[in-house]
């Protein structure tokens, strides 16, 4: 039997190299996304050694795009966007326009036609949501005004990119004709109207039928109690809707997957769907970035140094200056404007999708694609340094009075305030188990606080008057903010035993006598949690067995204590 099949070798080598390079760049505090792209460069035809099958890589990348866009739709929050619509909507539109014009100008200097210059500019206009969210989370800015504006801005950019993906195929012929001086608006009207009609029919079907069928289907599957079937249902919905949209409505995979996620985001099961499917979504997203890296010719750094520097100038400075000016014009503080500028000084996943489509439609040259890919890799690598400069500016600004009357003192990172509670219970996670525990603690009038990273659960807890710390309990400073050294106990109610072990270990370094109780799903997880400091571990299957034995009256049954 031949084990060296192109499909298997592409997946295995891609994931192994992505892990190696991702781990290496992570050590120097650069986004792992850069490592995934470098893995693709190593596997590509422009470097010596193993060369993966490009056609298979592209097929895997399509699945990655579907799952990536499904995740974007799953986390799409119309409420968050609406709260910052006054700045995010016009700001993003003006910034996209400015970047497109700058890209078109560079293309003109390089001798490209207008259609290729415009496509090049559009690809440079959108930042990576993955990179931005990581920077915001590290600085605990997500729940601040600056963070909400930055995320809302990126949502508008994402929506604009999705619309661009839909409109480019029918507009491609018109753009080429316009560039050649042969513009025929009448010939454009029919394919454009047909495309818009298909999109409208698909959207209507999703809003009328999908809004009812998809959540109902997931709720039915959830009640079967099978986690495997639930995961399969989520993947079947995301992939099935994307494929059906492409076959029946001639709509892109990206738009179909985005709408499937957006419809599902309205369901109470959206967070569970996101968490259950995250591993496979991440794996295919990695393969997507690897496939993009395979397209990149690193020799362009030597062959085209000046065009590359000009491309980087647009990404790092042009977009940032435009965003800074827009935010200041709308009356926001310098600290907010600087944060938005640093957030947008990079390009990522949507740029890759756009350049791929642009090359396939002959709206972008391979030279332009290589400039975009090089600009993306370098800008993502430099983005942490942008935020380091921002941190220093804001730190110096904090100590420089007096401040303008419209501006509050700004700090580079939002420090978590330490709770005033003592002799309290710290509850990590407020899902199916944590919410039951929380209700029991309230009924017993036991003081407690919750550490949770689910925005929906956080909002409900705050409405109920429960003190909550937003974020991952394993992150630096979280347990100290919970005043753990004077707490009555720590309850780790999250289902992930690996993360639970990290939390228990960090808690044990704070207090050697603190009672720590965690949950597990297997004997191995029990051993893992106890090894990392948990005093007691509750396994759900054991407790069910005890209850069943008690109900049947088998008083002399052997103990199942864990």
């Amino acid at each position: 039997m031949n084990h060296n099949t192109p499909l298997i070798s592409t997946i295995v080598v891609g994931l192994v190299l992505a892990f190696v390079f991702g781990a290496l760049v992570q050590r120097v505090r650069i986004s792992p996304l850069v490592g995934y792209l470098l893995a693709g460069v190593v596997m590509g035809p422009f470097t010596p050694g193993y060369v993966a099958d490009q056609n298979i890589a592209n097929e895997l990348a399509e699945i990655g795009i579907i799952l990536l866009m499904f995740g974007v739709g799953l986390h799409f929050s119309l409420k968050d966007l609406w709260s910052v619509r006054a700045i995010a909507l016009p700001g993003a539109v003006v910034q996209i326009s400015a970047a497109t014009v700058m890209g078109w100008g560079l293309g003109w200097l390089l001798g490209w036609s207008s259609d290729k210059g415009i496509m090049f500019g559009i690809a440079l206009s959108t930042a990576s949501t993955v990179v931005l969210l990581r920077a915001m989370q590290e600085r605990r800015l997500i729940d601040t005004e600056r963070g909400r504006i930055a995320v809302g801005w990126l949502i508008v950019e994402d929506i604009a990119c999705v619309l661009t993906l839909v409109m480019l195929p029918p507009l491609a012929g018109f753009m080429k004709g316009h560039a050649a001086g042969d513009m025929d608006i009448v010939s454009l009207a029919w394919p454009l109207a047909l495309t818009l009609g298909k999109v409208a029919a698909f959207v209507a079907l999703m809003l009328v039928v999908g809004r009812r069928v998809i959540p109902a289907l997931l709720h039915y599957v959830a009640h079967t109690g099978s986690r495997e079937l639930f995961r399969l249902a989520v993947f079947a919905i995301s992939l099935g809707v994307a494929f059906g949209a492409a076959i029946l409505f001639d709509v892109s995979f990206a738009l179909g997957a985005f709408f499937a996620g957006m419809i599902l985001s309205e369901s109470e099961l959206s967070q569970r769907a996101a968490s259950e499917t995250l591993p496979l979504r991440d794996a295919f997203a990695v393969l997507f970035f690897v496939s993009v890296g395979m397209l990149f010719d690193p020799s362009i750094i030597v062959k085209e140094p000046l065009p590359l520097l000009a491309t980087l100038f647009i990404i790092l400075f042009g977009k940032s200056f435009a965003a800074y000016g827009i935010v200041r014009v709308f009356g926001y503080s310098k600290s907010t404007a600087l944060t938005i500028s640093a957030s947008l000084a990079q390009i990522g996943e949507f740029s890759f999708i756009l350049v791929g489509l642009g090359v396939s439609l002959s709206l972008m040259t391979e030279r332009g694609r290589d400039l975009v890919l090089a600009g993306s890799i370098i800008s993502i690598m430099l983005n942490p340094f942008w935020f380091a400069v921002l941190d220093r500016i804001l730190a110096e600004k904090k100590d420089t009075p007096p401040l303008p009357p419209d501006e509050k003192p700004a700090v580079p990172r939002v420090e978590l305030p330490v709770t005033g509670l003592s002799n309290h219970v710290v509850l990590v996670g407020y899902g199916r188990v944590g919410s039951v525990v929380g209700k029991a603690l309230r009924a017993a009038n036991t003081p407690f606080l919750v550490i949770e990273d689910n925005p929906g659960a956080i909002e409900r807890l705050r409405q109920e008057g429960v003190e909550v710390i937003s974020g991952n309990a394993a992150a630096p400073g979280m347990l100290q903010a919970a005043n753990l050294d004077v707490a009555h106990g720590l309850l780790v109610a999250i289902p992930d035993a690996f993360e639970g072990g990290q939390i228990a270990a960090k808690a044990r370094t704070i207090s050697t006598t603190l009672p720590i109780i965690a949950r597990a799903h297997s004997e191995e997880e029990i051993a893992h949690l106890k090894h990392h400091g948990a005093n007691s571990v509750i396994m759900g299957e054991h407790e069910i067995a005890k209850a069943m034995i008690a109900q049947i009256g088998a008083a002399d049954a052997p103990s199942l204590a864990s």
Side-chain angles (χ1 to χ4, degrees):
M1 179 179 179
N2 181 16
H3 295 284
N4 189 27
T5 63
L7 175 61
I8 295 176
S9 61
T10 301
I11 294 175
V12 172
V13 176
L15 292 178
V16 170
L17 288 178
F19 164 71
V20 171
F21 283 99
L24 289 175
V25 300
Q26 176 76 20
R27 284 190 62 84
V28 293
R29 300 185 64 80
I30 296 175
S31 172
L33 191 150
V34 173
Y36 309 152
L37 293 169
L38 292 176
V41 174
V42 172
M43 293 173 58
F46 305 104
T47 54
Y50 172 78
V51 177
D53 188 307
Q54 186 67 62
N55 293 326
I56 290 177
N58 289 338
E59 293 288 334
L60 295 172
E62 288 288 356
I63 300 178
I65 291 171
I66 292 173
L67 296 178
L68 197 65
M69 293 303 301
F70 177 70
V72 171
L74 204 57
H75 291 96
F76 177 79
S77 173
L78 189 59
K79 180 180 178 181
D80 290 344
L81 177 59
W82 189 254
S83 66
V84 294
R85 66 191 183 281
I87 175 65
L89 183 58
V93 171
V94 173
Q95 180 258 310
I96 289 172
S97 302
T100 302
V101 170
M102 287 185 280
W104 170 82
L106 177 57
W108 178 77
L109 291 175
L110 295 175
W112 297 345
S113 59
S114 294
D115 58 323
K116 292 178 174 60
I118 292 173
M119 190 68 216
F120 181 69
I122 293 173
L124 298 181
S125 67
T126 178
S128 168
T129 307
V130 175
V131 175
L132 178 138
L133 287 177
R134 180 186 174 187
M136 290 290 162
Q137 288 167 349
E138 284 181 350
R139 287 157 179 79
R140 303 190 182 100
L141 295 175
I142 291 292
D143 292 327
T144 66
E145 181 186 50
R146 287 178 281 162
R148 286 192 293 271
I149 292 174
V151 173
W153 196 299
L154 260 293
I155 289 174
V156 175
E157 284 192 356
D158 289 351
I159 294 173
C161 286
V162 170
L163 294 176
T164 302
L165 293 173
V166 172
M167 298 305 297
L168 268 180
L171 284 173
F174 173 76
M175 293 174 68
K176 294 174 190 174
H178 177 63
D182 182 22
M183 185 172 67
D184 185 2
I185 298 178
V186 176
S187 63
L188 170 68
W190 170 246
L192 189 60
L194 184 63
T195 298
L196 290 175
K198 291 178 179 178
V199 172
F202 169 70
V203 171
L205 180 67
M206 291 297 292
L207 293 177
V208 176
V209 179
R211 205 174 214 167
R212 293 175 174 83
V213 173
I214 291 176
L217 177 63
L218 268 191
H219 277 275
Y220 168 78
V221 175
H223 282 99
T224 65
S226 171
R227 295 181 66 182
E228 293 81 3
L229 194 58
F230 183 83
R231 292 192 193 105
L232 183 59
V234 175
F235 286 125
I237 289 170
S238 59
L239 297 171
V241 170
F243 186 75
I247 297 299
L248 300 178
F249 297 95
D250 201 23
V251 173
S252 68
F253 287 140
L255 182 65
F258 176 78
F259 258 92
M262 192 174 69
I263 293 297
L264 189 54
S265 70
E266 299 178 4
S267 169
E268 296 177 356
L269 294 169
S270 62
Q271 291 300 323
R272 182 182 171 191
S275 62
E276 291 281 1
T277 59
L278 186 60
L280 192 59
R281 282 196 289 128
D282 281 350
F284 275 100
V286 167
L287 291 174
F288 163 67
F289 292 121
V290 169
S291 72
V292 170
M294 290 173 61
L295 300 173
F296 175 60
D297 182 0
S299 66
I300 196 171
I301 299 173
V302 177
K303 293 178 181 177
E304 306 274 4
L306 293 180
L308 178 56
L309 286 174
T311 301
L312 285 171
F313 181 85
I314 294 174
I315 298 170
L316 298 175
F317 297 100
K319 289 171 58 182
S320 297
F321 289 155
Y324 181 88
I326 295 164
V327 176
R328 290 295 286 161
V329 165
F330 277 82
Y332 286 87
S333 67
K334 291 180 180 178
S335 60
T336 299
L338 287 169
T339 302
I340 303 301
S341 298
S343 302
L344 299 177
Q346 40 84 14
I347 59 175
E349 54 271 9
F350 265 115
S351 299
F352 306 148
I353 299 173
L354 287 168
V355 296
L357 181 61
V359 171
S360 68
L361 296 173
S362 299
L363 291 176
M364 179 174 283
T365 63
E366 293 186 359
R367 181 189 185 193
R369 179 193 64 197
D370 288 341
L371 287 173
V372 172
L373 296 180
S376 172
I377 294 172
I378 296 172
S379 66
I380 292 173
M381 291 178 68
L382 294 178
N383 196 246
F385 298 103
W386 264 106
F387 271 97
V389 172
L390 172 67
D391 290 349
R392 171 167 286 190
I393 292 173
L394 296 183
E396 292 175 354
K397 187 178 174 183
K398 180 182 177 184
D399 300 324
T400 310
L403 290 168
D406 67 329
E407 190 169 343
K408 298 179 181 179
V411 292
R413 299 170 185 264
V414 175
E415 298 298 334
L416 287 171
V418 178
T419 180
L421 294 175
S422 61
N423 197 31
H424 59 294
V425 173
V426 177
L427 175 59
V428 178
Y430 206 74
R432 289 179 297 172
V433 174
S435 58
V436 175
V437 173
K439 290 176 183 178
L441 292 172
R442 266 184 293 181
N445 292 321
T446 301
F448 74 102
L449 69 79
V450 177
I451 302 177
E452 175 60 68
D453 58 4
N454 181 344
I458 292 169
E459 185 177 350
R460 289 195 300 272
L461 285 165
R462 287 174 175 163
Q463 290 175 351
E464 295 169 2
V466 177
E467 187 171 349
V468 58
I469 299 176
S470 173
N472 189 317
M478 295 294 289
L479 296 177
Q480 287 83 351
N483 220 359
L484 203 63
D485 53 342
V486 293
H488 177 68
L490 172 66
L491 303 179
V492 184
I494 58 174
D496 188 336
F498 176 76
E499 187 177 318
Q502 290 181 300
I503 295 168
K506 291 189 175 186
R508 190 54 71 207
T509 62
I510 297 173
S511 173
T512 58
T513 59
L514 178 74
I516 302 175
I517 303 172
R519 60 178 287 203
H521 292 288
S522 68
E523 299 291 347
E524 291 77 11
E525 290 183 356
I526 292 175
H528 173 77
L529 289 162
K530 287 190 173 182
H531 174 73
H532 283 83
N535 299 91
S536 177
V537 181
I538 309 298
M539 182 172 166
E541 287 79 356
H542 281 180
E543 299 308 308
I544 293 172
K546 290 177 185 177
M548 294 175 72
I549 291 169
Q551 289 286 333
I552 204 65
D556 297 328
S559 172
L560 293 172
S562 62

